[in-house]
Amino acid sequence: MRCGLSAVHQAPLDQASEMSLVLSGFEAGKRNFLQLTDKDGEQPQIASDESGTADSSGLEDSSQDRFIGPLPRDGTVGCSSDYSSPSYSYSSILNKSDTGYVGLVNQAMTCYLNSLLQTLFMTPEFRNALYNWEFEESEEDPVNSIPYQLQRLFVLLQTSKKRAIETTDVTRSFGWDSSEAWQQHDVQELCRVMFDALEQKWKQTEQADLINQLYQGKLKDYVRCLECGYESWRIDTYLDIPLVIRPFGASQAFGSVEEALQAFIQPETLDGPNQYFCERCKKKCDARKGLRFLHFPYLLTLQLKRFDFDYTTMHRIKLNDRMTFPEELDMSPFIDVEDEKSPQTESCTDSGAENEGSCHSDQMSNDFSTDDAVDEGICLDNTSSTERVLKPKSSLTFELFSVMVHSGSAAGGHYYACIKSFSDSQWYSFNDQHVSKITQDDIRKTYGGSSGSRGYYSSAFASSTNAYMLMYRLKDPSRNAKFLEVEDFPEHIKRLMQREKESEEQEKRQREIERNTCKIKLFCMHPVKMMMVENKLEVHKDKTLREATEMAYKLMDLEGVVPLDCCRLVKYDEFHEYLERSYEGEEDMPMGLLLGGVKSSYMFDLLLEIRRPDQVFQPYKPGEVMVKVHVVDLKSESIAAPVSVRAYLNQTITEFKQLIAQATGLCAETMRVVLERCYNDLRLLYVPNKTLKAEGFFRSNKVFVESSDSTDHQAVFTDSVLWKLLDRHGNTIRLFVSLPEQSPGSLANRTSCPKASADSEDSLEGAKGSRKSVETILEESTEKLKNLSLQQQQQQQQQHQQQSSSTSDSQKSSEHSDFEHIESPAQEPDAASQSSQTENCTRAASDTENQFPSEDRSDSDANNDRSTSSVDSDILSSSHSSDTLCNADSGPLPLANGLDSHSITSSRRSKAHEGKKETWDTAEEDSGTDSEYDENGKRKADSQYLYFKAEPYSQEDGSGEGQKCLLVHVDKRITLAAFKQNLEPFVGVPSTQFKVFRVYANNQEFESVRLNETLSSFSDDNKITIRLGRALKKGEYRVKVYQLLVNDPEPCKFLLDTVFAKGMTVRQSKEELLPQLKDQCKLDLSIDRFRLRKKTWKNPGTVFLDYHVYEEDINISSNWEVFLEVLEESERMKSMSQLAVLTRRWCPAQMKLEAFREVVLESSSVEELKEKLSELSGIPLENLEFAKGRGTFPCDISVLEIHQDLDWNPKVSTLNVWPLYICDDGAVIFYRDSTEELMELSEEERNELMKKESSRLLKTGHRVSYSPRKEKALKIYLDGGPTKDPGQD
């Protein structure tokens, strides 16, 4: 190549000249051009992107960094650092390597596959034979044909212009799915499995015996009597020779492949107890057993067995010891000629796989047996077994051409291949998609080991990158083949190459189109769906705006809906809902210019704007701002849909009002304009000469305008009706409320005093009546939202004072609610007397409820249980007396244990609350937020009206029947207590008798229980489910009760849900459980024949004594779970100083475990435990041994492991020290008689017992024994996919 200045007159530069650049003709301060030409004068061509495109930035390939030349080497070739080249880019994958070879893409963990495929591709004999095979499409699906997909892959490797190609078609023909790409396997295992699959596929073809011809060798496995010389032998076949790196038990590894080969054929002497029974001598004699090579394959494969098993750590390990291998391997020293001339032998046939157990099965791989008559390898036999003719020594010289390298450990790593090309004898590194030249030094670095001596621990400090599999080819000029050139391809391969070339060209054209395609978000307010529809517009950069508009028109399915000429594309900001500009007069402009080029993403979007036929499109100019104008009507208290107006930031408020007047038809003189700068931040624009920019206008804005003759404009803005209306509008949310299913009869029975207006007294008459009454309530409620009269308030206050001064009726004093002061549709001005009756009948007997006020927890940690619990199933059936709705009797109601409701919590109350009237809305001690509402549900600043409006809507279910639902518009500043109060008429029961569940996106429900918190966490279209059942008060907790069955296969069984209260004793909770257990679980128990105890996951813990008090002696929380244990006798646990342990006897002589039995200890003494166990079992004290169980209850363990795996008879005097740490009830203790001998099992009995134990322990979810992650077996499916195999992972 030569360089020369490019000008009118070209002046070649002398590369050998020492002349300065200025003297050579370069001009200082100016741009100089160089022209590169070949020495023959032809101008070189810039390498075009034959296989792909540049990146998405749209730059030309010439400007991209290329990945050219060999990979950097830092100790080992092809190591993981190969991936961190600074010049690596996506475009480098698309450009063919300068080596001329194509790489293979790693799907995920398929480097082992890539290494083997590249080795086979670089084997001329295999590649040529594969090309000579012709695929018959009529006989098999090409997708499932392994030879055809290999053929396609090899053609692409030889002819493609890409840097790397995919192997997915090959793995798909194996029957693998995408998960197989994440499984790393052994390359030698893959080699054997793939060869077997190819043999099966090539049956009845010319290539049927190809694998055997190329790779199969034979050896003799013999045993020779040392007394008479009689020899017994058999012939085995092999595809590879496994060479041991380090002999078993040895501290030093073999130093070379030759050493390992010599050890492979070194015979061993059978003597002593291992003597061989000689058929000729008719007795046991000393003998020699060994292997002898008979045939060497043309392609010799050596596997270096670097993966071993460490019996000390019981883990697989990798041996990184150094093992050298020659570039030329002479196999003649491994033929023992004298041994071939045995005086007498026992004739055998080829054994094949059926006899591999006697042919060094620990070393040999699975073999392939063939007929003895066919052998294309190096034959050391003649027709006579006594006359053997060896070929010349030179015929046993093999040439190394492939080294498959493993880098990593036994747990995983990376494979790559170093392969010598037979075309130019150059070594290359094939590391997935990277191919680079390497040298002999790089090959020597794969020997492994370190520079030090080969000691026992040398492997631990050696490099983890070393050779794993070697391939040699016999040096025989008469048989050594060359690669087929393209012009010599068979006709069917030429046709295949043409198809692949066309496919690649099509792919290239498609990528070119992709590179020049603009992809941008497209929005459209669909005139039929009446919603903003989003899509992605993909348009070529050379398409005009007119053509792009037509494409968007079809993309949005507007054909037949609106005419095309009523649509146009405009620049749009979806985030701010802002129309940036329109494109008048630019209909023929290319989209690439309009959008600023082809980019991976755009900072703006496009909107397909639609007009009516009688309208004209408004021009949108850059610099304008978008204003959405909402017209407010004070009379109807309505806010209209927005009207879009475009304005300039330098316009004054007066000019802006004139603009709005033109768009809306309102009077500009009386117009009030309110800007919503951010959420609920309202600003009245009253300075006439102030600009929009000074007022805080941005790209997209929202304003509210009102123009009327009312006097409201004279009031201070924050006191005006307009402000209140806008404030209500900004804080109102829409909620979907699902009401509980109930019949009109049950509704009437649940509340005999419904809170309805006088106009709906004849409601609740049948199903239709029920529906009508709800609608009537809704209608009347929404009409009279703000009409709560002063008379009603006075009556309520008077009634409140009468109840507060009364000392004879205690439940009225403690249970009176102030909810009637909240302005809501639940109370009507003409229903004061009815409201009074309702209050008297629904709150008269609810004294106990306020003794346990609302529990202090948030929605997220409330119990999520959709099932109907014991307190939910029927609000009349709970043992809590507070669930009685209309009990007009006086006095605190008795609980099941005979104690009155005051006695439970009177001692637990804080003095700060003594004498204070507790209500639902004020009983929270710490709600986690400062409520801005007082105890009457009103705003502290001013008791303003809180908006609530409900209307029915039907939600269709699968049966076609609509569930009763409400569409509620409510001010989100309302408290949960007031919200429930407003829902009372629609639910049909008082707010104390239903629960509110918030439904999240995944249909998960959480109960809302903090009554003085607002609905500020709710947003539009949130869903709420109402469920009947007494809501929790403060100090109450919903509890799940499980039965503990210590000797059942499943010891943990769910029983029911119940409610425990702070200050309640365990005995009281047990008394309340009794009727629930009988009704719901059919358990008829006496109070002294069951106990409650702590439950931690599935482990039983502390036994709760009857006098324990919740929240004082026992910590209780939301989502609490407790065990109920049925006792066979009266409770023996009387004190907290006692310890209850669960014991189980192990009987070694019978190989079985007895049932659990509880032992109650008075102290933590080991001596006492042994005495109790001796008394229980009859084992003498001196012979008794015990051990603590491991894991989760019931601490299951295999009977084959328990005798030696547990820590029997620990040397401790107390139970609460290491290694026992038994400090709480529920610990599991195994014990045994030390004099009892372990049952002797035969191998069959042991295997049978192992199967039973494995099945038992797997069912209970307990481990059998330690086992590392099970590796998935490597399989190639000849039928295109795996069959259903229940035993397969």
Side-chain angles (χ1 to χ4, degrees):
M1 182 180 293
R2 297 184 300 182
C3 294
L5 285 171
S6 178
V8 179
H9 302 288
Q10 296 184 359
L13 297 178
D14 185 3
Q15 299 180 20
S17 174
E18 296 182 358
M19 190 182 302
S20 67
L21 295 179
V22 174
L23 296 177
S24 299
F26 284 84
E27 297 184 36
K30 295 184 179 180
R31 181 176 296 180
N32 297 271
F33 297 92
L34 286 175
Q35 184 178 16
L36 304 179
T37 62
D38 287 342
K39 289 185 178 181
D40 56 6
E42 294 182 5
Q43 182 159 342
Q45 299 296 318
I46 297 176
S48 61
D49 182 9
E50 297 291 345
S51 60
T53 66
D55 62 8
S56 58
S57 64
L59 300 175
E60 294 298 325
D61 291 343
S62 58
S63 66
Q64 301 297 307
D65 291 334
R66 303 295 183 96
F67 187 78
I68 298 176
L71 294 171
R73 298 188 295 273
D74 54 348
T76 56
V77 63
C79 63
S80 58
S81 63
D82 296 345
Y83 292 98
S84 58
S85 170
S87 61
Y88 177 79
S89 65
Y90 175 72
S91 61
S92 68
I93 302 178
L94 304 175
N95 303 323
K96 193 169 184 176
S97 167
D98 63 337
T99 62
Y101 290 102
V102 178
L104 295 174
V105 176
N106 191 335
Q107 296 182 36
M109 299 177 71
T110 56
C111 52
Y112 67 100
L113 172 66
N114 293 348
S115 301
L116 180 61
L117 291 176
Q118 291 283 19
T119 297
L120 296 178
F121 172 73
M122 296 295 287
T123 306
E125 292 77 9
F126 185 88
R127 190 204 297 185
N128 295 344
L130 184 66
Y131 283 170
N132 288 326
W133 173 80
E134 185 172 0
F135 172 66
E136 298 292 341
E137 194 166 353
S138 59
E139 298 179 2
E140 188 179 11
D141 185 355
V143 175
N144 299 329
S145 175
I146 298 173
Y148 177 69
Q149 295 302 333
L150 280 177
Q151 198 177 69
R152 285 187 61 235
L153 182 75
F154 282 16
V155 168
L156 289 173
L157 285 173
Q158 188 168 352
T159 62
S160 177
K161 297 176 182 178
K162 294 182 180 179
R163 170 173 286 271
I165 57 177
E166 297 280 353
T167 58
T168 49
D169 289 338
V170 174
T171 55
R172 191 178 294 113
S173 70
F174 291 171
W176 294 358
D177 55 23
S178 58
S179 66
E180 289 286 349
W182 295 93
Q183 295 282 337
Q184 189 176 79
H185 295 288
D186 187 283
V187 67
Q188 183 260 352
E189 181 187 12
L190 172 69
C191 184
R192 289 189 291 105
V193 174
M194 185 189 292
F195 283 171
D196 187 34
L198 287 172
E199 282 191 319
Q200 296 295 325
K201 289 287 188 178
W202 275 335
K203 283 183 177 180
Q204 311 301 326
T205 68
E206 293 181 6
Q207 288 74 21
D209 203 41
L210 176 66
I211 301 299
N212 294 337
Q213 292 174 12
L214 296 179
Y215 295 95
Q216 182 176 274
K218 290 188 179 181
L219 52 76
K220 178 186 286 187
D221 183 1
Y222 66 91
V223 180
R224 176 184 293 177
C225 178
L226 294 181
E227 293 188 13
C228 67
Y230 179 82
E231 182 178 289
S232 175
W233 57 271
R234 66 180 181 186
I235 294 176
D236 283 323
T237 59
Y238 63 90
L239 291 179
D240 53 66
I241 303 175
L243 300 180
V244 173
I245 298 289
R246 186 193 300 169
F248 181 76
S251 61
Q252 189 168 330
F254 294 125
S256 65
V257 164
E258 292 89 341
E259 282 185 41
L261 280 168
Q262 192 61 49
F264 184 82
I265 62 173
Q266 182 67 33
E268 61 174 321
T269 302
L270 304 179
D271 55 8
N274 296 325
Q275 278 188 324
Y276 165 72
F277 184 84
C278 178
E279 293 291 339
R280 183 173 182 181
C281 300
K282 300 298 182 184
K283 65 174 183 177
K284 286 190 174 182
C285 306
D286 289 351
R288 181 180 295 170
K289 183 180 188 303
L291 299 172
R292 184 183 302 124
F293 287 111
L294 299 180
H295 302 269
F296 287 117
Y298 176 70
L299 297 171
L300 179 66
T301 304
L302 303 179
Q303 181 204 4
L304 308 186
K305 298 186 69 176
R306 293 196 174 275
F307 298 109
D308 204 349
F309 189 81
D310 188 340
Y311 287 93
T312 304
T313 62
M314 303 301 288
H315 286 87
R316 289 183 66 202
I317 59 172
K318 183 184 178 186
L319 302 174
N320 294 312
D321 301 87
R322 178 181 175 86
M323 176 174 276
T324 64
F325 45 86
E327 188 171 359
E328 290 190 355
L329 178 62
D330 185 7
M331 294 298 289
S332 58
F334 308 107
I335 303 296
D336 192 341
V337 179
E338 183 180 353
D339 235 5
E340 295 293 323
K341 301 177 181 178
S342 55
Q344 293 189 14
T345 59
E346 178 187 345
S347 178
C348 293
T349 59
D350 285 357
S351 62
E354 63 187 19
N355 294 325
E356 71 175 42
S358 60
C359 179
H360 282 240
S361 61
D362 60 328
Q363 296 183 11
M364 298 302 297
S365 59
N366 293 341
D367 304 311
F368 296 81
S369 59
T370 60
D371 192 350
D372 257 344
V374 180
D375 181 21
E376 296 296 332
I378 304 163
C379 183
L380 303 180
D381 287 330
N382 205 345
T383 54
S384 171
S385 62
T386 58
E387 297 179 11
R388 304 186 181 276
V389 180
L390 294 178
K391 290 190 176 183
K393 203 169 184 179
S394 61
S395 65
L396 298 180
T397 302
F398 288 82
E399 178 184 8
L400 178 69
F401 74 95
S402 176
V403 181
M404 277 164 269
V405 182
H406 181 268
S407 176
S409 66
H414 177 61
Y415 285 99
Y416 63 93
C418 299
I419 306 174
K420 184 174 75 171
S421 171
F422 288 112
S423 301
D424 55 7
S425 298
Q426 171 66 47
W427 282 91
Y428 297 92
S429 168
F430 290 84
N431 193 342
D432 290 336
Q433 62 261 43
H434 305 299
V435 185
S436 59
K437 292 181 179 181
I438 56 175
T439 64
Q440 282 291 340
D441 288 338
D442 296 314
I443 300 299
R444 284 190 284 272
K445 289 174 183 177
T446 65
Y447 290 164
S450 57
S451 58
S453 62
R454 291 185 286 123
Y456 182 78
Y457 293 102
S458 64
S459 179
F461 303 98
S463 169
S464 64
T465 302
N466 33 54
Y468 180 64
M469 205 157 90
L470 310 172
M471 279 201 177
Y472 287 85
R473 186 177 77 165
L474 178 67
K475 292 188 72 173
D476 184 356
S478 64
R479 295 189 59 189
N480 296 157
K482 294 184 178 180
F483 296 112
L484 283 177
E485 298 297 332
V486 174
E487 56 270 13
D488 300 326
F489 280 175
E491 287 301 320
H492 63 275
I493 297 297
K494 289 182 178 179
R495 292 193 297 270
L496 174 61
M497 184 181 68
Q498 185 62 32
R499 290 198 300 271
E500 296 299 331
K501 184 178 180 180
E502 292 174 359
S503 175
E504 197 168 292
E505 289 296 325
Q506 176 62 28
E507 184 182 344
K508 178 185 174 182
R509 287 193 295 270
Q510 187 61 38
R511 280 200 304 269
E512 184 67 24
I513 293 173
E514 288 287 322
R515 188 174 64 174
N516 293 295
T517 298
C518 302
K519 299 178 181 179
I520 189 169
K521 279 186 179 180
L522 175 68
F523 295 89
C524 176
M525 178 57 71
H526 201 281
V528 176
K529 300 177 182 178
M530 295 306 295
M531 59 182 293
M532 186 67 80
V533 179
E534 179 182 348
N535 216 318
K536 178 169 279 190
L537 178 64
E538 298 184 5
V539 57
H540 195 276
K541 67 178 182 179
D542 295 332
K543 293 281 187 181
T544 63
L545 175 63
R546 194 188 311 277
E547 294 171 319
T549 304
E550 186 174 354
M551 292 173 62
Y553 175 76
K554 295 177 180 178
L555 190 63
M556 288 298 181
D557 293 328
L558 296 177
E559 294 180 280
V561 178
V562 294
L564 176 60
D565 57 3
C566 291
C567 303
R568 70 169 179 176
L569 286 175
V570 295
K571 193 175 181 181
Y572 179 60
D573 182 353
E574 187 261 343
F575 181 79
H576 294 99
E577 298 183 359
Y578 171 59
L579 295 171
E580 294 192 18
R581 61 159 298 187
S582 54
Y583 299 104
E584 285 80 10
E586 300 179 275
E587 289 77 10
D588 296 324
M589 184 78 72
M591 291 299 293
L593 292 178
L594 286 179
L595 301 180
V598 180
K599 300 179 181 179
S600 56
S601 62
Y602 292 90
M603 300 297 293
F604 56 90
D605 314 300
L606 291 178
L607 174 73
L608 186 65
E609 192 178 15
I610 301 173
R611 64 173 174 83
R612 293 196 301 270
D614 57 339
Q615 287 181 326
V616 178
F617 279 125
Q618 178 184 354
Y620 305 142
K621 299 177 181 179
E624 294 178 333
V625 293
M626 172 73 72
V627 184
K628 291 186 175 180
V629 180
H630 296 261
V631 178
V632 180
D633 189 343
L634 295 182
K635 292 182 180 179
S636 63
E637 295 187 355
S638 64
I639 298 176
V643 176
S644 294
V645 173
R646 296 180 69 84
Y648 290 96
L649 291 176
N650 57 359
Q651 279 182 326
T652 64
I653 299 301
T654 302
E655 294 170 339
F656 182 55
K657 287 183 179 181
Q658 295 292 339
L659 188 65
I660 295 176
Q662 295 175 8
T664 61
L666 298 177
C667 177
E669 283 72 20
T670 58
M671 183 183 296
R672 284 184 292 174
V673 180
V674 179
L675 169 67
E676 185 178 76
R677 293 189 296 183
C678 57
Y679 170 72
N680 211 26
D681 179 14
L682 303 175
R683 180 188 182 93
L684 180 65
L685 308 181
Y686 59 90
V687 182
N689 297 327
K690 205 169 183 180
T691 64
L692 300 186
K693 183 177 183 180
E695 290 286 7
F697 277 70
F698 190 56
R699 302 173 70 180
S700 183
N701 310 272
K702 181 196 289 187
V703 298
F704 300 91
V705 298
E706 186 273 333
S707 180
S708 65
D709 298 331
S710 67
T711 59
D712 187 61
H713 67 279
Q714 299 174 0
V716 178
F717 177 58
T718 53
D719 295 332
S720 65
V721 176
L722 175 61
W723 186 89
K724 292 178 181 178
L725 184 60
L726 296 180
D727 178 69
R728 189 189 79 182
H729 175 267
N731 288 285
T732 299
I733 55 175
R734 181 175 63 181
L735 301 175
F736 294 94
V737 180
S738 299
L739 300 178
E741 292 293 336
Q742 57 182 359
S743 64
S746 65
L747 176 64
N749 291 335
R750 289 185 186 277
T751 170
S752 57
C753 308
K755 286 193 176 186
S757 67
D759 297 337
S760 57
E761 293 178 353
D762 56 347
S763 61
L764 307 176
E765 297 179 0
K768 294 181 179 179
S770 175
R771 176 82 179 201
K772 181 180 179 181
S773 67
V774 171
E775 293 177 351
T776 304
I777 291 171
L778 289 169
E779 181 181 355
E780 295 174 355
S781 298
T782 52
E783 286 179 356
K784 303 174 182 179
L785 285 173
K786 298 191 297 180
N787 294 331
L788 189 62
S789 66
L790 179 62
Q791 178 183 359
Q792 183 191 15
Q793 295 184 24
Q794 292 174 348
Q795 288 178 356
Q796 290 172 345
Q797 292 173 2
Q798 182 180 3
Q799 181 185 22
H800 171 58
Q801 292 171 1
Q802 291 173 355
Q803 289 178 343
S804 300
S805 61
S806 174
T807 57
S808 61
D809 199 353
S810 61
Q811 83 275 9
K812 290 184 179 180
S813 175
S814 62
E815 277 300 311
H816 175 72
S817 173
D818 288 338
F819 285 153
E820 285 75 10
H821 293 282
I822 299 177
E823 302 176 19
S824 72
Q827 302 297 330
E828 309 296 343
D830 56 348
S833 60
Q834 193 172 11
S835 172
S836 177
Q837 293 173 3
T838 304
E839 176 191 339
N840 288 334
C841 82
T842 59
R843 292 168 173 77
S846 301
D847 178 69
T848 311
E849 291 182 303
N850 266 338
Q851 307 302 326
F852 312 117
S854 197
E855 181 187 346
D856 181 15
R857 57 178 173 161
S858 64
D859 294 354
S860 60
D861 47 7
N863 178 36
N864 175 29
D865 180 26
R866 302 188 193 181
S867 61
T868 304
S869 67
S870 59
V871 294
D872 298 343
S873 57
D874 191 337
I875 60 175
L876 298 176
S877 65
S878 172
S879 60
H880 280 287
S881 59
S882 60
D883 282 343
T884 305
L885 294 182
C886 296
N887 187 345
D889 296 338
S890 64
L893 298 178
L895 295 175
N897 58 5
L899 300 174
D900 64 64
S901 56
H902 292 289
S903 65
I904 298 177
T905 59
S906 58
S907 62
R908 312 285 171 234
R909 292 176 186 268
S910 170
K911 291 184 179 180
H913 288 241
E914 289 183 3
K916 176 182 176 181
K917 181 184 69 66
E918 294 184 356
T919 68
W920 273 42
D921 203 21
T922 62
E924 293 279 356
E925 293 177 0
D926 181 16
S927 66
T929 180
D930 287 332
S931 175
E932 57 179 324
Y933 298 90
D934 61 14
E935 60 184 21
N936 295 324
K938 294 184 180 181
R939 192 179 175 89
K940 292 177 181 177
D942 54 343
S943 300
Q944 69 167 17
Y945 167 71
L946 295 180
Y947 184 74
F948 182 97
K949 178 182 178 182
E951 55 189 24
Y953 86 100
S954 178
Q955 182 178 359
E956 297 293 332
D957 55 18
S959 62
E961 298 179 358
Q963 182 183 359
K964 189 166 63 173
C965 300
L966 294 177
L967 179 61
V968 176
H969 291 82
V970 62
D971 194 313
K972 62 183 177 182
R973 295 168 295 185
I974 197 173
T975 61
L976 179 62
F979 180 66
K980 292 182 67 175
Q981 181 79 8
N982 282 294
L983 287 176
E984 279 187 4
F986 314 118
V987 181
V989 296
S991 59
T992 57
Q993 304 303 333
F994 65 84
K995 298 173 290 184
V996 176
F997 288 86
R998 184 172 179 177
V999 184
Y1000 288 86
N1002 56 356
N1003 287 328
Q1004 195 173 14
E1005 297 180 356
F1006 289 96
E1007 185 179 356
S1008 298
V1009 294
R1010 291 186 174 180
L1011 296 176
N1012 68 337
E1013 280 192 353
T1014 66
L1015 303 185
S1016 57
S1017 63
F1018 288 75
S1019 56
D1020 271 335
D1021 297 336
N1022 278 175
K1023 295 181 180 179
I1024 289 176
T1025 299
I1026 304 298
R1027 299 191 185 280
L1028 297 180
R1030 186 173 62 79
L1032 293 177
K1033 314 300 183 300
K1034 184 178 180 180
E1036 290 189 340
Y1037 303 88
R1038 195 156 278 121
V1039 178
K1040 290 181 180 294
V1041 181
Y1042 293 81
Q1043 186 176 4
L1044 177 63
L1045 304 164
V1046 292
N1047 287 307
D1048 276 22
E1050 182 51 57
C1052 181
K1053 176 186 176 183
F1054 175 75
L1055 292 179
L1056 51 81
D1057 284 321
T1058 188
V1059 174
F1060 288 175
K1062 175 181 178 181
M1064 181 185 286
T1065 65
V1066 172
R1067 186 172 183 86
Q1068 291 169 354
S1069 63
K1070 287 167 65 176
E1071 289 175 341
E1072 295 205 14
L1073 276 174
L1074 285 173
Q1076 300 176 40
L1077 293 169
K1078 187 174 181 179
D1079 293 343
Q1080 299 182 41
C1081 308
K1082 310 304 179 186
L1083 287 176
D1084 193 1
L1085 305 173
S1086 64
I1087 195 167
D1088 295 323
R1089 286 302 176 90
F1090 76 94
R1091 63 160 69 128
L1092 300 179
R1093 66 189 302 169
K1094 182 179 179 181
K1095 179 179 181 290
T1096 307
W1097 183 229
K1098 293 185 178 181
N1099 297 311
T1102 308
V1103 174
F1104 299 147
L1105 305 181
D1106 283 355
Y1107 58 82
H1108 282 166
V1109 178
Y1110 296 116
E1111 284 284 33
E1112 187 171 284
D1113 303 313
I1114 303 170
N1115 290 326
I1116 188 170
S1117 61
S1118 59
N1119 297 325
W1120 203 52
E1121 295 179 345
V1122 67
F1123 268 132
L1124 181 148
E1125 185 178 10
V1126 179
L1127 303 175
E1128 296 179 357
E1129 55 187 18
S1130 297
E1131 179 65 81
R1132 292 182 293 163
M1133 293 288 290
K1134 303 296 183 183
S1135 167
M1136 288 296 293
S1137 62
Q1138 293 176 306
L1139 190 66
V1141 295
L1142 293 165
T1143 65
R1144 199 171 189 186
R1145 180 172 179 176
W1146 158 240
C1147 303
Q1150 304 172 35
M1151 296 292 287
K1152 75 172 187 177
L1153 285 162
E1154 294 183 351
F1156 279 105
R1157 298 181 71 178
E1158 185 179 77
V1159 171
V1160 177
L1161 305 174
E1162 300 299 326
S1163 66
S1164 296
S1165 168
V1166 170
E1167 196 62 33
E1168 183 187 358
L1169 172 64
K1170 287 188 172 183
E1171 290 174 359
K1172 290 286 182 74
L1173 293 177
S1174 178
E1175 179 184 339
L1176 185 68
S1177 62
I1179 301 175
L1181 194 60
E1182 61 274 11
N1183 297 335
L1184 193 141
E1185 294 181 342
F1186 74 94
K1188 182 184 177 182
R1190 299 173 182 168
T1192 306
F1193 184 83
C1195 304
D1196 262 332
I1197 186 171
S1198 170
V1199 296
L1200 295 171
E1201 299 175 356
I1202 186 174
H1203 203 66
Q1204 66 271 6
D1205 277 13
L1206 293 183
D1207 185 12
W1208 289 99
N1209 212 25
K1211 306 301 181 184
V1212 292
S1213 58
T1214 59
L1215 299 175
N1216 56 1
V1217 296
W1218 183 86
L1220 297 177
Y1221 287 124
I1222 298 177
C1223 306
D1224 196 4
D1225 303 325
V1228 173
I1229 298 292
F1230 295 99
Y1231 65 96
R1232 69 184 180 187
D1233 187 343
S1234 61
T1235 62
E1236 190 174 341
E1237 295 291 334
L1238 189 66
M1239 178 192 287
E1240 293 186 5
L1241 299 173
S1242 65
E1243 194 63 32
E1244 290 184 1
E1245 290 174 333
R1246 179 174 292 276
N1247 291 337
E1248 186 65 27
L1249 186 57
M1250 186 181 296
K1251 290 180 181 178
K1252 289 182 179 179
E1253 286 294 281
S1254 298
S1255 176
R1256 177 178 70 87
L1257 295 177
L1258 286 173
K1259 285 180 180 177
T1260 58
H1262 290 79
R1263 68 176 183 87
V1264 181
S1265 61
Y1266 170 77
S1267 175
R1269 178 179 63 86
K1270 190 173 181 181
E1271 295 182 3
K1272 192 173 182 180
L1274 190 149
K1275 292 183 179 180
I1276 291 179
Y1277 305 93
L1278 301 180
D1279 56 352
T1283 56
K1284 297 292 183 180
D1285 183 4
Q1288 180 184 334
D1289 274 350

